[in-house]
Amino acid sequence: MPIDPDFPKNHAVIGKSKDPLSDNYHIIWGPGKLAEAAFDENVKADYVARNEEIKPMGIHGTFVAVDWDSCIADGICLMSCPVKVFEWYKNPGKVLRRDRADYTDKANPVKEADCIWCMACVEVCPTKAIKVDQANVEIHEKEIASFN
Ligand code: F3S
Ligand code: F3S
């Protein structure tokens, strides 16, 4: 199932995440659900190799939002973004496919504010895990402010 287009209404804020390489924060929305990642053979194999259980992770980001339960670590979004909004969660600062830690890795939207709304990431993601919406900037700002 692709990312829920109405996730800010249908989900709650469950945390915020800091980019390990900058002072940027993004919101995490939940609850998550078992979706494409839980049924993908590459992802499942790498969870088994790590001896870890696949658990719901939720949606990272608000105006550039990635549903981590649908992200199968394809990597095309990281390489397609002209302004490098995304990096690998488990390999910060890196954006190439060969840089993914393994298929348990995720596209981390660490530079939402740099988005120029080109929509390349939305179009290329094979599981439609990404929603980009300028209308959600205000929601992001309100939620981030509530943490301070
Ligand atoms: Fe990049 Fe996607 Fe924005 S490709 S510029 S994050 S719409
Ligand atoms: Fe994940 Fe889709 Fe990007 S599967 S790595 S969000 S292209």
Side-chain angles (χ1 to χ4, degrees):
M1 172 189 304
I3 186 169
D4 175 359
D6 291 323
F7 72 87
K9 279 196 199 118
N10 299 332
H11 292 64
V13 173
I14 57 170
K16 67 173 179 175
S17 173
K18 184 184 176 300
D19 175 9
L21 303 180
S22 76
D23 289 331
N24 295 343
Y25 285 89
H26 66 254
I27 296 292
I28 309 169
W29 301 83
K33 62 194 182 310
L34 293 182
E36 285 89 338
F39 307 110
D40 180 86
E41 292 308 323
N42 292 327
V43 178
K44 286 198 292 187
D46 281 342
Y47 270 97
V48 169
R50 285 173 171 262
N51 204 17
E52 290 175 19
E53 195 187 334
I54 302 182
K55 291 185 184 149
M57 302 177 92
I59 292 172
H60 278 246
T62 306
F63 52 100
V64 180
V66 184
D67 188 335
W68 280 17
D69 298 316
S70 294
C71 174
I72 56 170
D74 178 89
I76 189 71
C77 63
L78 288 84
M79 295 189 297
S80 303
C81 180
V83 291
K84 301 284 175 273
V85 165
F86 311 96
E87 64 187 27
W88 289 114
Y89 173 58
K90 296 182 178 178
N91 208 352
K94 303 288 187 181
V95 301
L96 299 178
R97 273 188 170 138
R98 65 166 181 261
D99 297 323
R100 77 159 82 77
D102 60 23
Y103 283 100
T104 69
D105 216 341
K106 300 291 175 186
N108 202 14
V110 288
K111 297 192 183 76
E112 279 184 288
D114 289 356
C115 178
I116 55 169
W117 321 109
C118 77
M119 299 297 164
C121 57
V122 173
E123 277 157 32
V124 294
C125 175
T127 57
K128 301 289 172 213
I130 304 175
K131 177 171 169 81
V132 173
D133 191 345
Q134 211 162 351
N136 287 349
V137 172
E138 225 175 289
I139 298 172
H140 162 87
E141 284 170 357
K142 183 175 144 263
E143 296 296 346
I144 285 285
S146 73
F147 277 101
N148 299 327

